[in-house]
Amino acid sequence: MNRQLTPRHLALVASVISALWLAGCGSPGTVPGQLSAAKVEQSAAAPVSHGSNAANARDYRRDAARHIYDANKSRIYSGQLPPMLYAVGTLQVHIDAGGKVLSMHWLRAPKHAPEVIAEIERMVLKAAPFPAAPRLGAVTWTDTWLWDKSGRFQLDTLTEGQQQGD
């Protein structure tokens, strides 16, 4: 009997291979999609995560951003950001139904500042678990990180704005 793989079978095989690849990627403490080797030591205490009542990923942004702010209070830039930022990066974080970080995907990585990439990834991993969103299950959180040369930041979702340049 001569069996040919149909497009549907090929898609299924590709999905299984992708899932296996994602499950096996990364070293302990890292997740697929990271650009740095940043990881969190197992002894690091995760912040207390309150649930999210978000009905969609857009609503979830605010809960995830507040969670990052709560975990990094001393790193938040207070007030309007200066007109020139050291780095700007947009990161997607895939979160499972329990708030665990499954993977990260940079939509815009500040490649001129690899230390910022590593620090953002470290902060995301350290902040896990993120708020569980029972109405959503797994969710993808996308936000833009606005990074000052001082090492402090704001997230676009909660930004206080930026000063006008001369």
Side-chain angles (χ1 to χ4, degrees), residues 20-42:
L20 291 172
W21 177 79
L22 283 174
C25 278
S27 59
T30 64
V31 297
Q34 281 187 243
L35 294 182
S36 76
K39 57 184 169 183
V40 176
E41 300 302 322
Q42 296 298 344

Side-chain angles (χ1 to χ4, degrees), residues 8-95:
R8 186 174 178 186
H9 286 111
L10 287 173
L12 178 62
V13 168
S15 295
V16 169
I17 290 171
S18 295
L20 291 172
W21 177 79
L22 283 174
C25 278
S27 59
T30 64
V31 297
Q34 281 187 243
L35 294 182
S36 76
K39 57 184 169 183
V40 176
E41 300 302 322
Q42 296 298 344
S43 63
V48 174
S49 174
H50 302 288
S52 171
N53 198 29
N56 57 53
R58 187 179 187 118
D59 292 343
Y60 186 82
R61 281 180 62 173
R62 184 166 299 279
D63 294 333
R66 287 190 196 283
H67 183 73
I68 286 287
Y69 273 40
D70 288 345
N72 297 281
K73 291 178 182 168
S74 66
R75 302 286 305 273
I76 307 305
Y77 191 100
S78 181
Q80 288 190 325
L81 290 160
M84 294 295 292
L85 294 172
Y86 177 63
V88 175
T90 303
L91 180 66
Q92 281 185 335
V93 181
H94 304 284
I95 302 166

Side-chain angles (χ1 to χ4, degrees), residues 82 84-88 110 112-116 146-151:
M84 294 295 292
L85 294 172
Y86 177 63
V88 175
H112 69 285
E115 75 282 7
V116 173
L146 309 167
W147 201 272
D148 181 60
K149 63 183 176 185
S150 67

Side-chain angles (χ1 to χ4, degrees), residues 36 38 72 75 114-124 147:
S36 76
N72 297 281
R75 302 286 305 273
E115 75 282 7
V116 173
I117 291 171
E119 190 59 24
I120 290 170
E121 290 178 351
R122 191 175 298 108
M123 283 193 285
V124 168
W147 201 272

